[in-house]
Amino acid sequence: MTRSRLAVLAGPTAVGKGTVAADVRRHHPEIWISVSATTRAPRPGEQNGVHYWFVSDEEFDRMVADDELLEWAVVHQAARYGTPRKPVEQALADGRPALLEIDLQGARQVRDTMPEALFVFLMPPSWDELVRRLVGRGTEPEEERERRLATARGELAAEAEFDVTIVNHEVHAAAEELVALVCSEVADR
Ligand code: 5GP
């Protein structure tokens, strides 16, 4: 069974999911990491096909209509994000450990369709630290930040729905903890 090689990383906004996933990508090329489609605009330095597939609303509509997404959600009431299904299936068919870094709504959808996946919750060391990280990033306007914090409060409560929790004290340590889980998952099943 190669299907159990799928791991889903979720957690509250600004906890550092993207940074942890980037660290895994840098140090563990043997782990395949999904590239999501999104309707939000690229931030400076973000590349199409590397960080996201940046698509129009019309293209996202088409992907949904054609059932090309394994899951998708509106995040922070702002933009749509989704996981292209085919590349995930291909990675699993190739026997590669695969990782999705998605929001909580998406993780719940994957749990419904692929309950055998490993669900990992990334926790901030504290609420104050989470706020500090969100403000520190400084990429969002005030209104957007408030919206993200409100989302994060609700998201923290979802920890109990997950198989395992990693506390993100330090990015590389958290990434290595995640890799150990993903790889032990492969060996165990
Ligand atoms: P950002 O816009 O900061 O890159 O990401 C915002 C949020 O979207 C993050 O919480 C991230 O986990 C989530 N996200 C990224 N890709 C996907 C996806 O494919 N599906 C879902 N449901 N959420 C995603």
Side-chain angles (χ1 to χ4, degrees), residues 23-32 96 172 175-176 179:
D23 192 88
V24 172
R25 186 182 291 114
R26 193 170 323 118
H27 294 102
H28 294 276
E30 74 277 14
I31 295 176
W32 179 84
R96 290 184 74 183
H172 186 62
E176 289 301 319
V179 168

Side-chain angles (χ1 to χ4, degrees), residues 83-110:
T83 304
R85 181 195 306 278
K86 273 237 179 76
V88 177
E89 289 175 349
Q90 189 59 55
L92 296 177
D94 292 346
R96 290 184 74 183
L99 178 65
L100 310 184
E101 181 258 294
I102 59 178
D103 91 320
L104 189 59
Q105 308 167 75
R108 287 176 175 143
Q109 291 172 44
V110 178

